[in-house]
Structure formats: C-alpha cells, structure tokens
Amino acid sequence: MSMENHGHHDNHGSHEHQGHHDEHHHEESFVSKYIFSMDHKTISRQFLVTAVIMATFAMIMSMLFRLQLAWPNEHFGFINWILGDKWGKDGILEPGMYMALVTIHGTVMVFMVLTGGLSGTFSNLLIPYQIGARDMASGFLNMLSYWFFFLSSAIMMASFFIETGPASGGWTVYPPLSALPQAMDGSKLGMTFWLLSMTAFIVSSLLGGLNYIITIINLRTKGMSMTRLPLTIWAFFVTAILGVLSFPVLLSAALLLIFDRSFGTSFYLSDIYIGGQALEQTGGSPILYQHLFWFLGHPEVYIIILPALGLTSEIISVNARKPIFGYRAMIGSIMAIGFLSFIVWGHHMFITGMNPFLGSVFVFTTLLIAIPSAVKAFNYITTLWKGNIRFTPGMLFAIGLVSTFISGGLTGIILADSALDIPIHDTYFVVAHFHIVMGVSAILGMLAGVYHWFPKMFLRHMNKKLGYVHFWLTFVSAYGVFFPMHFLGLAGVPRRYYSNTAFPMFDNLVDINVLITCFAILGGLAQIIFLFNFFYSMFRGPKSTQNPWHANTLEWTTPMANTHGNWPGALPVVHRWPYDYSKPGKEADYVPQTVPLAEGEVDGGGHH
Amino acid sequence: MIKFLVYVAIILTVLAVGYLVRVFELASSLKGKRSEEITEKDNRLMGRIMLAFVVAFFLFVIWQLKSYGWRMLPEAASVHGKELDWLFNFNMGILWFVFVITHILLFYFAYKYYGRKDNRATYFPHDNRLEMIWTVIPAIVLAVIVIYGIKTWNHITAVADPNSQVIELYAKQFDWTARYAGVDNTLGASNYKLITGTNDLGMDSTSQAGKDDIIVKNELHIVVNREVEFKFRSRDVIHSAYFPHFRAQMNCVPGMTTMLHFTPTITTAEMRKKPEVIAQMAGINAIRKARGDKPEEFNYILLCNKICGNSHYNMQMQVIVETEAEYNEWMKSKMPKKEAAPKEAAKEVAGN
Ligand code: HEM
Ligand SMILES: [Cu+2]
Ligand SMILES: [Cu+2]
C-alpha cells in the first residue's frame, strides 16, 4: 500500500507545485484573495464568520419569542424596536410573526449554523491540513460552495422584508400548510423564499460534500493511511457521505412542493377545502412529504453532531494528553451511526397513522443507534481517566459537549420508544431533547473548535479568561434553558404555541417559562463576550506559536502564516497514528505524526 | 433619542472591555507570562469548578423534580395510559441511573485529573475487555427497553373492539367537530366537495348510515369504561388530536382517515376529587386570582398539537367523561327534535 500511496503523492505534489509556481506571476488582488478565494483556509474563515453572524440573528430571534412565552401580553419596547409596528405593535409579538421567528430560527440554526457553518468551517480548514494536502481537490467548487451558502443565507434573511413575512410553518415546513397560501401568510411569498434558499443551500452542501469526500480519499499524504487519520477527518468523511446521499432527497421533496405550490400538481395534496373553496387536487399524500423530509432529516441531525463529536475527540485527546480511548471503536461507531441514521427516519412519524408493525421496526433500528453512541460517550470519559488535563477554553467546551450529548441522548431513548412517544410527541419534551442533544452539543463542539483552532485560523489566540467566563455562562444557561423544558412537555405543553394562556391547565407553568427566559437572556448576553473576544482577538490577540497545544496532527507542522499550498517545501510524511500522547519511553508528552517510529516501536493506531 | 443612547452605551461598553483586555494582556506580558498560556492554577480552578458544577447541577435537577414534579399531568385516565405511565417510569429509572453515574464520572475525572506541571498522563489507548463490556451491557439494557416498548405499542395499536363506540373528530382551522355515529354505530359517507356553509363536514345526504349521525361542536362527551374508536379527518392542513390526560394522540391528515382508540377510566367528576388534581387546581386558581381571572375547574381537554396556522395555539375542545346515564341524558338533548326523524329520512330516500 505504501508504494501506491507514494506514487500518488508524487503526482499530486508535482501538479500542485506547478499551480504554486504560476501564482508567482501575478499579485493576488483583494478580490481573489479575500472574496472569491479558492484557498481552503480563506473559505473556512468565510464560512465561520458567516455562521457566527447567522447564529447571532437566530439567537436574537429566539430572544424575541422567549420574551413572548414568558410574559405574554406584556409590552416590550425591544420587540417593537426590532419588528416595528406591523409585527410588534405596542411591543407585543404578533402570532404570525411568532411562528415565523420560530421557523426561521430553527432553519437557520439547523442548516446555516450547524450544517453549513460547522462542516464548512472545519472540514475546509482541517481536511487539507490534517491529511497533508495542499488544498481541496477542487478549489473552484469549494469557492462555489461558499457562495451558494452565502446566497442561501441572504435569501433566508431577506424573507423578513416581504410584506407577508417569512415562512412560518415550522422548520419542517409540512404541507399542506406550507403548500397553501390560503392557509397562512407565511405560506405565501415567504415560503417561496424559503424553498429558494434551501435549494441554494443544498447545492452548496453537495459541492462541499463531494469535495470533502474526494479530497480525503485521494489527497492523503504519504503514510497517511485511513487508520492513521485523526477522528476529526473520519467524522467529516462520514458526514459528507451522509450529506451527499440525503440532501438530494430533500431537494426532490422541495421540488415536488414547489410544483404543488405553483403548478397545480397534487403530490402532497388531496381532498382539501380551504378559504371557502374545494381544491381540485386529489390523490396526493402529505405523509409522502414527511417520509422524504425525514429521510434527509434524520441523517441531518447526525450531519450536525458528527463533526462536533470529531472535533471533541481531537480536543479531548490533545488536552487530556492521552490517546483517545478506543480509536478503532470510535471509527466503528462513526460508521455504524452513519449507516443506521438512514433507517430510522420513521421515528418522527409514529403518530401519523403509520402501520404499527413498521413503527416497531423503527423503534428497533433507532434504539440500535444508541449503542454506538453509548460507546462514544464511555470512550470520552475513559480518555479523561488518568489524564493530565489542560483546561483550555476549547477543552471546557468539549467536556460540556460530552455532558449534553449524554443528557440529550438519554431522553432520545424515551422518544424512540413509539408507545412513549404518543403522549409527548410535539411537546416541549421534544424541544428539550433535540436542543440538548443536537443544538447545544453541536454549538459547544463548534465553539470548542473555534477556541482550539483559532490560532491556526487567525494566527492569534483568543483571550483565555473571557473564554472561561463564556464557557461557564453558556453551559449553565444551556441547561437552565433546556432542562426545565422537559417538565413543560410532561405537563402536556405543545410546541409551536404562541402562548399557553388559552389553557387554564397551563397557568401554573408560567414560572417555569419565566425561569427559562431568564436563563436564555443570560446565555444570550454571554455570547456578547464571545463575539467581542472573537473579533477583537482576530486583530489584536497575542500571536500564537506554531504548535501552541503541543498536538500531533499535521496542521501544526505548517508555519504560522497563511502559506498558499500550506507547506512551503515538500509535503510532510506520516509515520504514526495521531494519538501518541504521553507514550511511555518518549521524553515529550507528544509525538507528532511526522516523527518516524523508533526501532521496534509499535504504531498505536494498529497500523502495520 | 433613547435608541441612540443605547447604541452609544453598547459601543462604549465594547470599547471599555477591549481596553481592559488590552491592559490585562500588557500587564501579564510585563510579568513575562504569556496571557494565553494555561497554568496549573487555571487547571486547578477549572477542575474545582467542574466538581462544583456537577453538584450544583444535581441540586438544580432535584429542585426541579420537587417544585415542578407535582405539576405534571395527573394520573393517566385511560386503560393503556396506565400501562404507558408504568413504562415511562420504568425507562426513566434506567435513564436516571445512567445519567447520574456518567455525570459523576465525567466531572469527577475532570476534577481529579486536572493538569499538574510535573504529572504525566497514563498511556491507555484501548482495552478490548472494557469496550466489550460497554457495548454488550447497553445492548442488553436496550433490548429490554425495546421488548417492553414494543409490547406496549402492540397493545395500544391492536385493532379496536368491534363494540367500541365510533366517533369522528373533524379538524379544521381552528376548531374541532365531533360526529357521533348514532344508533347504527356507523358513520355516514362524506366528501369534501359537498362542504357548504350548512354542511360543514361534507356529509353525503344519500348515505343511509349518516342519517342518524349527530354533530356536536366544542365539546366531546364520552362514557367511562367504554372503549371509543376515533376516526380523524381534516379539512385543510395537518392537525393533531392530542388528549394529554388519556396519553393519546393521532394526526389528522387531509385526504385520509386515521384512527385511534382508548378506554377512559375516570370520569371528569371523579378526577376533580383526586387529591393531586385538587392541589394542582388550587395552585392554578391562586395564580388566576392574582391575575384577576375567574377560577376554573379541572377539565379534560383535546388540543391541536401539529402546527396548523396562526391560531394553532388556540384550537381546543373540552372533553367530558361521564357515566352511561349522564351520557344518555346529554345525547338526548342533542338528538333531532322529532323522535321519528331517522325513519322519516329513510322514507324520503326510499321515495326517491
Ligand atoms: C439561543 C439559544 C436558544 C434558545 C433560547 C432556543 C429556544 C427555542 C424554543 C423555545 C423553541 C420552540 C419554540 C416553539 O416550538 O414554540 C425553539 C425551536 C427550535 N430551535 Fe431553538 N433555541 C436556541 C438555540 C437553538 C440551536 C443552537 C438550535 C440548533 C439546532 C436550535 C434549533 C431549533 C429548532 C430546529 C427549533 C424548531 C423550530 C420549529 O419548531 O420549527 N435552537 N428554540
Ligand atoms: Cu430522527
Ligand atoms: Cu390545528
């Protein structure tokens, strides 16, 4: 195998040198360097900054509707200030706008921040760096991937400026609600924008994903066998495969919806009487949409969480100064999760009247996924055991992720049990579950990655103390917001309710909602600390040394400059797995992957 | 003007923090330290906070169980609901156990092994036996969960008793209508194209079975200990019929009929006398009083639990569980005035 790898590497190297050579003939303009750049590092930073901005918008939206949930009918100048008289008259959020905010908040968080933003930032940054490549397989497609992502984000936000408001049928946009403009204002032009935005997003995601897969398969440097890849790369690899296989299905679902909306087809519509009129369409099925949507939707939640878990694996190992425990089992778990995530989508549809036997099958497959997930959690905990833990801000966020991944995963076991899902489906119990296991975990993982790789991205350090404060406030308020929501769900409170005041049975839950909103505000303020630290450190933070965390992976063997082609000279050659931390017999507590094996030394990754 | 001041305040705050950070960094570089370096002191402090966090977290959880626990839905008021509640508690028992153990380990290790200057971590890349243990044990526990879960699911979704009472629940933006199947216990045919201002459900007047159907808006009466089989239809978008007290829910999907059956076991009157319900209602009414709202009695309720439009949050129907006698009395009041109505209708059709 090493022969093969060798020849391959040479080809690639010479090709890249050629490209590199050409660069010297022209000065790069500002536009080609910072805007339409094809360099993976620049594209990664573009994704990150866009995602940070989108996350800020989505968070402000959640503040607006959280104010409404805690203090319905109260007048908030803040709401009027942001939404104006049309949607925030007298400082009271208008019900249609409430739904729109919830919908766009969910869509932006799930797709723009945690799919595009998370994968886009770290796959782009780390794949070439950690496998020892000069760039992505196709810089051009990579650039297009970012610009489609940008377009998609811009269209989504532009929908707030439409007369009838943005899409408001929930982030899952189930038809017929989303198909019929008569059903609600949000299903008018806003829904068209939503569909356009998602179409651009899917294009972006496919271009990015194909590029990641091809790069990982083809451009690994000499000695970098698959079983010497850092777990980050494994996670990005499986994530990209999931995306490439599932996003086209979402695209087809969206296309059929566009047909139903605009061209009178009836894929999803049947026997509907609305707005004083019986529609012609018959024979379609709204349930078909749900099957298509969740065929993407479930893999999608793993598309969100796997990269976060990959980043965490790396950060925990580096900072515990220990090899990640059970490297092979971790790879196996990632693959098992990836595979199983395609055969569990029905757990979102237990109460759509599906065949009960089919329901049982989905219960079984869903609970199977819990096994590799449990293995991952135990392996993280064991990695900490007898470590020598250095609490960088990144490490704190990574440990926080392990905690929320466990807490949220456990409630998933309840929801996966079809019988138990009946009374809690679509209640706040679900909101609590998916925020903790997917939302909070992935955000913590992403922030861990930002703190950890900030020196690589911006050549400077973020401020440590602000990082500490940011972590503890964020972590505490995340649990403060989402833990009590389980209780709301068990009290029967449905999600996507503008207000619970129409039901006396919910009157005694007001204090819970107030507590949640207070924590949400605290958590929101904590992000100001982060935003400040992020932008300030980008320009003024202390300069970083080349390998500030004493890590083994290849990205830290590149000079602290945005070198085009990453390594000024030849590509590095890999001799060992990436987790030789505190290896007995070695003086330093880390051994970079480029250090040859000593005589008789066994490679820890199991490579022979 | 105020907006302007807010802007100015925000900008000044950011600048101030910026300067503080700068000062802090300059000060530490004067002392010859790199401000980004993680010292043993940092590690110790963070390790301790980790430990403090897990203790505080557990206390927070216990506090929630204590102060929120009694406000959850009261005892299930249906046969299968009791089984579900048991299953829920059984699963939660396992989950609490795992939650507590893993969190103690995670945060305790984080504290115990915080980095010391002259310490070195133990090289421990893998251990097949350990990994085997934590693959097999979760697998066994999950198998138990799956088996119990599917058993209960099969009970709940089994075919309804043929003698159960058939009721149609018809959903539209934004209310519920019940249609009782009448003496023949069979619902008449309907078609959405027949919907008019006076024929809300699109009932087919040529359908024999529909002649004795009785349509009731806003309240749903059912008989205690008698199984009900609901048939759900929707006129416009997807709704979901959610009966939290009976632990039952089913989507209402335009273009198809979905079904669900359960047997209520506690009448509304009995429920109002349960100590836990009395305590809950006392709490609710105290809050209502403080707000100036009139007091309420406990009621079963049907909610819409699938986003269906701007008034989704207020699509409800009161559910009344009563004895057979009370139900018959109520039903009589809903019957068409003339006793002979069904017969007359029959004649009319025959005449055609
Ligand atoms: C800033 C902290 C956040 C707060 C306070 C918050 C709060 C909420 C609340 C209360 C809802 C439910 C509203 C309702 O159903 O009526 C909601 C919905 C949602 N949130 Fe968040 N959230 C936050 C962050 C996130 C993150 C990080 C994600 C990423 C996955 C996320 C994804 C979603 C999704 C997918 C929905 C469902 C939207 C829908 O129902 O269509 N949220 N959020
Ligand atoms: Cu799923
Ligand atoms: Cu509804």
Side-chain angles (χ1 to χ4, degrees), chain B residues 38-307:
Chain B
I38 313 290
T39 62
E40 185 170 329
K41 212 172 113 219
D42 292 329
N43 288 338
R44 186 168 42 227
L45 178 65
M46 288 301 126
R48 285 184 181 158
I49 301 182
M50 284 276 168
L51 202 59
F53 172 80
V54 73
V55 173
F57 185 30
F58 285 160
L59 289 177
F60 179 52
V61 170
I62 292 168
W63 174 78
Q64 288 177 76
L65 286 169
K66 227 172 86 64
S67 84
Y68 301 162
W70 63 278
R71 295 186 247 166
M72 301 300 94
L73 288 171
E75 157 185 6
S78 64
V79 174
H80 79 274
K82 298 210 164 44
E83 191 179 341
L84 271 185
D85 282 2
W86 180 86
L87 184 68
F88 181 81
N89 291 333
F90 170 76
N91 281 4
M92 279 314 282
I94 299 175
L95 301 185
W96 279 121
F97 177 76
V98 179
F99 171 77
V100 170
I101 296 289
T102 49
H103 273 77
I104 290 179
L105 290 180
L106 176 68
F107 289 99
Y108 178 69
F109 287 170
Y111 160 71
K112 174 116 192 272
Y113 301 109
Y114 74 77
R116 284 101 166 154
K117 240 208 199 86
D118 31 42
N119 232 19
R120 199 177 162 107
T122 306
Y123 188 79
F124 185 47
H126 74 119
D127 180 327
N128 288 342
R129 228 187 57 226
L130 271 183
E131 285 167 85
M132 208 55 183
I133 291 175
W134 58 59
T135 312
V136 171
I137 291 183
I140 294 173
V141 173
L142 286 165
V144 174
I145 289 179
V146 171
I147 290 169
Y148 275 110
I150 292 185
K151 205 172 102 199
T152 304
W153 171 247
N154 286 342
H155 288 171
I156 295 174
T157 56
V159 181
D161 182 341
N163 294 323
S164 56
Q165 180 181 16
V166 174
I167 302 176
E168 175 181 78
L169 273 177
Y170 186 74
K172 71 176 187 14
Q173 285 179 332
F174 295 96
D175 59 30
W176 298 96
T177 309
R179 174 156 64 119
Y180 289 79
V183 271
D184 60 358
N185 205 25
T186 308
L187 290 164
S190 60
N191 184 329
Y192 81 108
K193 298 226 164 168
L194 300 175
I195 295 173
T196 60
T198 51
N199 184 4
D200 237 6
L201 305 195
M203 299 218 355
D204 184 345
S205 59
T206 64
S207 163
Q208 269 308 319
K211 300 293 176 198
D212 59 350
D213 290 0
I214 292 177
I215 295 171
V216 185
K217 267 190 144 18
N218 302 328
E219 49 179 26
L220 175 71
H221 287 244
I222 48 181
V223 180
V224 67
N225 295 327
R226 173 165 178 200
E227 188 175 81
V228 208
E229 171 155 42
F230 289 103
K231 310 219 165 184
F232 302 99
R233 280 197 300 137
S234 165
R235 168 194 283 196
D236 37 39
V237 301
I238 302 178
H239 301 268
S240 188
Y242 178 38
F243 300 90
H245 302 98
F246 306 100
R247 312 292 190 264
Q249 181 170 200
M250 179 55 71
N251 288 356
C252 314
V253 185
M256 64 192 256
T257 303
T258 51
M259 284 176 280
L260 166 84
H261 55 88
F262 66 79
T263 311
T265 52
I266 307 175
T267 63
T268 303
E270 283 164 351
M271 201 67 170
R272 287 177 181 167
K273 293 201 197 92
K274 302 250 170 199
E276 70 173 320
V277 174
I278 292 175
Q280 282 186 4
M281 292 314 296
I284 287 173
N285 283 326
I287 290 168
R288 293 181 68 83
K289 193 166 170 201
R291 240 177 21 202
D293 290 337
K294 64 177 187 1
E296 284 281 342
E297 278 189 304
F298 171 85
N299 269 309
Y300 292 120
I301 205 104
L302 164 66
L303 308 89
C304 177
N305 195 15
K306 183 62 81 187
I307 185 169

Side-chain angles (χ1 to χ4, degrees), chain A residues 81 279 326 329 356 388-389 391 403 422-423 425-426 464 497 502 507-508 511 536 543 580 583 586, chain B residues 3 22 34 37 42-43 71 103 113 115-116 120 123 125 131 153 192 242 249 288 304-306 316:
Chain A
W81 179 43
L279 303 187
N388 193 31
I389 302 168
F391 286 109
S403 164
I422 298 171
H425 180 79
D426 265 341
K464 166 185 81 181
Y497 265 25
D507 277 346
N508 61 348
D511 61 331
Y536 175 87
K543 285 233 166 64
D580 273 339
K583 198 169 190 180
K586 303 282 174 191
Chain B
K3 270 187 218 172
R22 202 83 201 140
R34 295 183 60 92
E37 206 131 290
D42 292 329
N43 288 338
R71 295 186 247 166
H103 273 77
Y113 301 109
R116 284 101 166 154
R120 199 177 162 107
Y123 188 79
E131 285 167 85
W153 171 247
Y192 81 108
Y242 178 38
Q249 181 170 200
R288 293 181 68 83
C304 177
N305 195 15
K306 183 62 81 187
Q316 54 174 309

Side-chain angles (χ1 to χ4, degrees), chain A residues 169-179 257 286 289-290 293-294 348-349 352 425-426 496, chain B residues 237-238 251 306-307:
Chain A
W171 80 280
T172 52
V173 297
Y174 282 0
L177 182 62
S178 62
L257 185 51
Y289 173 86
Q290 296 186 20
F293 181 87
W294 287 112
H348 298 275
M349 300 169 61
T352 55
H425 180 79
D426 265 341
R496 295 164 173 170
Chain B
V237 301
I238 302 178
N251 288 356
K306 183 62 81 187
I307 185 169

Side-chain angles (χ1 to χ4, degrees), chain A residues 294 297-298 301 344-345 347-348:
Chain A
W294 287 112
H298 194 83
V301 307
V344 300
W345 78 91
H347 62 214
H348 298 275

Side-chain angles (χ1 to χ4, degrees), chain A residues 59 65 98 105 109 114 170-171 428 434-435 443 495-496:
Chain A
M59 205 177 63
F65 60 70
Y98 173 89
H105 157 82
M109 285 291 192
L114 293 177
W171 80 280
Y428 265 87
F434 77 73
H435 273 98
I443 290 277
R495 68 193 280 203
R496 295 164 173 170

